[in-house]
Amino acid sequence: MTATAPPALVEAPPDIATMRETAHRVLGPDGTPDAVPPAGEELDTLTAALRGHIELLAPEVERAAGLLPGNAPTGSSARACASEAGGRLRAPELAFAPLSGSVMYARRLARVLVALCDHYEIVSARVEETPVQRAFVRLADHCVRCPTCRAMNDHGANAGLPCEEEERLYEEHRQARRAIRQGQQ
């Protein structure tokens, strides 16, 4: 009789939709600061859920980022976000203002969770550089090489001379960011 190895466990991917919904319940529609936050037991439950989601997702973000080449901008950003998430988990709630401190703490956790969800979706799809990052690098490369953009005034400050290429590249960067916010990419 031969022994067979047990089937390999297939780990389900994180439930990003549920995580985003939990964060949305704390942040309110469109993340507006004037949204009425949950209170009491509901806030405590949501805060515990946010912490749990972050504890589950941060290592997954780091793992997925580790599969990208070491110089991939998305991997570096994702690892930094996961590190920041760990710092938020270690930060205590503001004890001096029980209600507003708890709401502020929950909203901080919710914003970190949303950022982790964004990073997870990018790095788990093996995207090494986003359109926004590409546009920014083109803009930055131009600005450090262009004599017009680097021109200094008599006081040693940037002269702020108009540069059509810089304006075009900046507009490309703005369009890439706008497309992300509108969910087009």
Side-chain angles (χ1 to χ4, degrees):
M1 189 190 291
T2 60
T4 59
L9 295 176
V10 177
E11 191 174 311
D15 186 355
I16 300 297
T18 298
M19 292 179 180
R20 287 186 185 279
E21 176 58 30
T22 304
H24 177 74
R25 289 179 61 196
V26 173
L27 294 173
D30 301 321
T32 57
D34 57 344
V36 177
E41 288 182 26
E42 181 184 13
L43 180 62
D44 293 342
T45 302
L46 287 171
T47 300
L50 291 168
R51 291 181 62 83
H53 290 325
I54 292 169
E55 288 169 356
L56 289 172
L57 190 55
E60 288 298 313
V61 168
E62 287 180 340
R63 183 193 57 72
L67 298 174
L68 295 172
N71 62 348
T74 55
S76 299
S77 297
R79 284 187 291 277
C81 184
S83 177
E84 173 71 15
R88 292 288 184 209
L89 289 176
R90 289 186 298 276
E93 284 188 51
L94 300 174
F96 61 87
L99 178 59
S100 64
S102 296
V103 170
M104 288 175 13
Y105 181 70
R107 284 185 171 165
R108 285 183 181 142
L109 292 178
R111 285 190 294 272
V112 167
L113 180 59
V114 168
L116 278 173
C117 290
D118 292 345
H119 284 291
Y120 178 78
E121 289 174 335
I122 291 169
V123 296
S124 66
R126 307 272 167 105
V127 174
E128 294 181 25
E129 185 177 59
T130 66
V132 172
Q133 290 168 331
R134 269 193 300 281
F136 181 79
V137 167
R138 284 194 305 271
L139 173 63
D141 284 346
H142 167 77
C143 289
V144 298
R145 289 182 172 84
C146 174
T148 304
C149 292
R150 291 183 15 206
M152 299 289 182
N153 64 18
D154 294 339
H155 303 288
N158 187 288
L161 299 176
C163 173
E164 288 181 26
E165 181 67 4
E166 182 266 341
E167 289 174 17
R168 184 187 69 74
L169 290 169
Y170 181 66
E171 184 58 30
E172 278 183 20
H173 180 252
R174 289 182 55 219
Q175 292 297 328
R177 290 183 61 186
R178 188 173 297 126
I180 294 294
R181 282 193 304 271
Q182 295 173 350
Q184 295 175 355
Q185 293 182 353

